[in-house]
Amino acid sequence: MVKIALTQLKPVADKDVSLRNIEYYAGTAAANSADLIVFPEYYMFYSQYKDAIIKNAEALNGNYINRLKEVSRTNKIGIITGINEVYDHNYYDTAVYVNDGELLNYYRKSHLYDAFGYRESDIYTYGNGPFKISKIGNINFGMLICYDIRFPEVFRNYSLNDADMVILISAWFAGPMKEEQWLSLVSTRALENTTYLATSNMIGGGFTGITTFTDPIGAIINRAAEDEDIIYSIIDTDRISTVRKKMPVLKQRRPELYKL
């Protein structure tokens, strides 16, 4: 079993403030025996303006990631958070996984939020993954970001490649029906793939919050309320096995019939 800490935090506009907060919450989670702590999308710093992104974005070998490595090493805890990444003169909305003082994986947001009158592609470049499975203890997991939740194919890709859990970092904009959509989607994506789904969502500044931890049967078994918070949950592979015996949908697929 693995214990995961999920944060629900307000956006910050300063990388040093972000790192201080990460250090504080990582220490708190480690003191509560968590193996992994997750922070929201954009948590390196948040801006809707491309000029600010260009000014503050960093490479994967930059100072921000190096300091995350130090926090991970000092507190003996895995860290997943959102960064604004620059690579080859392009800017990406990226999730990084740091553990044991090393950058073990990264994921560049594949589906940009060009919807509800907003155009994320005016700021960021489309990422192409990589859709690499990471490991924490005996748990295999994949990483996704926010708007990716509306695309079931990427979740199915992870579940067919032995993921026990998907971790989705998010800054889910508030709006009519947006909270209901979020709750429906987190439940459905976990249920249809019989995997755990852990989210860390921004709150305040026009974001909904509703950080959640969803069971492989689709039940939201833990969630944050209306304030900044940190919640803890257990990932148990026996629970995954139990659900998949009751509902073996992954084995019952008939891919020869589907054109995707």
Side-chain angles (χ1 to χ4, degrees), residues 187-202:
S187 179
T188 300
R189 293 293 168 263
L191 173 63
E192 67 193 3
N193 291 290
T194 55
T195 59
Y196 286 102
L197 175 54
T199 74
S200 174
N201 210 349
M202 204 86 80

Side-chain angles (χ1 to χ4, degrees), residues 83-107:
I83 72 163
N84 295 284
E85 181 199 357
V86 58
Y87 175 74
D88 196 24
H89 305 292
N90 291 311
Y91 299 89
Y92 295 95
D93 182 355
T94 300
V96 294
Y97 170 42
V98 173
N99 205 352
D100 299 320
E102 299 294 334
L103 175 63
L104 299 181
N105 197 6
Y106 67 92
Y107 167 78

